[in-house]
Amino acid sequence: MTDPAAYLPILASGRWFAHLPPDFAQPLIEMAHLRQLNAGEVLFLRGDAPCGLYAVVRGAISISGTGGRANEARSALLTRLEPPHWFGEISVFDGSARTHDAHATEASTLLQVPHERLQAWLQAHPVHWHALALLLTDKLRTAFVAIEELALLPAPQRLARRLVMMAEGYGQWTAEGQSRRVLSISQEQLSLMLAISRQTTNQILKDLEQRHLVRVQRGEVEILDLAALRASCH
């Protein structure tokens, strides 16, 4: 498919886009064009100039960062974005450089609303900045939850909560009770996302398997009992 409008059903399954006023949603699609990325391909890197607003409609995008001295640099996987997530809105607001790296975790299709075109449209229709701000505040709430969990929860609870959040699409879907049974994520990716060792991640997942809450296979985690997994977070 080459027409961004063909992906409207996927976009409409997301809470933010589904609640957009039609006089913002329609121009957003009209301004967009499709981007195809191969697995591992860079979308943008920290320090890059603003390049627009994005929506994932196929595949997955990893948002990551690297810190520390060159010979001791460490990577952190912050999140994995799957359909119908929108992202890139921070640079839309402040016009500053990208704060993190974005790579295609697998072959992916994105909608890209170019930065300059979106800026010009918003300047002409300033009432819609509020709708865009809601996307930003939603991400901020999720970030605060992650910071709180890192400070307060032991690793087993943090891992279980992250699996639940991923299964529930980070609360982004419109359908009540919708969830994803199979999560395409490796143990290495989970350990980077939660800042815990690969060994600890493996031990926690084995415990969850023994309790018949998940099934771990190469590159994926299958949720067997979402309600029980959610209960184990407390």
Side-chain angles (χ1 to χ4, degrees):
M1 292 186 286
T2 58
D3 182 5
Y7 293 94
L8 276 172
I10 295 174
L11 297 174
S13 71
R15 184 163 46 83
W16 180 72
F17 187 83
H19 289 99
L20 281 182
D23 56 347
F24 184 21
Q26 184 63 32
L28 203 58
I29 297 302
E30 292 174 354
M31 286 186 280
H33 61 259
L34 294 178
R35 288 280 304 273
Q36 306 288 347
L37 297 179
N38 297 318
E41 191 172 347
V42 172
L43 179 61
F44 55 75
L45 297 174
R46 173 179 287 172
D48 283 354
C51 46
L53 185 67
Y54 294 91
V56 187
V57 292
R58 181 181 68 92
I61 300 295
S62 293
I63 306 297
S64 61
T66 303
R69 292 180 296 183
N71 60 336
E72 298 176 353
R74 296 179 60 192
S75 295
L77 175 61
L78 302 182
T79 191
R80 175 188 168 103
L81 305 177
E82 299 180 337
H85 275 76
W86 289 81
F87 66 101
E89 68 280 358
I90 293 177
S91 291
V92 174
F93 275 93
D94 64 11
S96 297
R98 294 297 186 186
T99 58
H100 294 88
D101 303 336
H103 296 79
T105 310
E106 56 193 69
S108 302
T109 303
L110 308 173
L111 264 64
Q112 179 182 8
V113 184
H115 182 75
E116 291 79 7
R117 194 171 180 187
L118 180 57
Q119 288 288 332
W121 190 89
L122 287 168
Q123 291 301 323
H125 305 84
V127 67
H128 293 299
W129 277 106
H130 177 262
L132 197 59
L134 293 178
L135 181 63
L136 184 63
T137 56
D138 193 57
K139 300 280 184 63
L140 189 58
R141 288 179 184 275
T142 301
F144 276 132
V145 169
I147 292 170
E148 182 181 39
E149 290 177 356
L150 184 62
L152 300 178
L153 296 182
Q157 285 178 263
R158 283 197 285 126
L159 190 146
R161 284 175 69 96
R162 184 56 64 99
L163 292 178
V164 169
M165 290 176 69
M166 292 180 66
E168 295 177 340
Y170 291 94
Q172 294 299 309
W173 290 320
T174 55
E176 187 71 26
Q178 181 178 349
S179 63
R180 180 183 291 115
R181 183 180 176 88
V182 178
L183 308 178
S184 299
I185 189 163
S186 68
Q187 294 188 42
E188 178 67 23
Q189 290 170 329
L190 266 177
S191 66
L192 288 171
M193 194 179 288
L194 297 168
I196 56 181
S197 71
R198 170 70 183 274
Q199 182 180 16
T200 299
T201 301
N202 181 262
Q203 291 172 345
I204 296 170
L205 288 173
K206 281 185 176 179
D207 177 65
L208 293 175
E209 275 195 305
Q210 291 171 357
R211 295 157 61 188
H212 306 292
L213 302 184
V214 305
R215 179 183 293 117
V216 180
Q217 302 179 66
R218 185 177 180 84
E220 65 182 36
V221 177
E222 181 181 1
I223 309 298
L224 302 179
D225 190 335
L226 182 59
L229 183 63
R230 189 184 297 110
S232 74
C233 299
H234 305 292

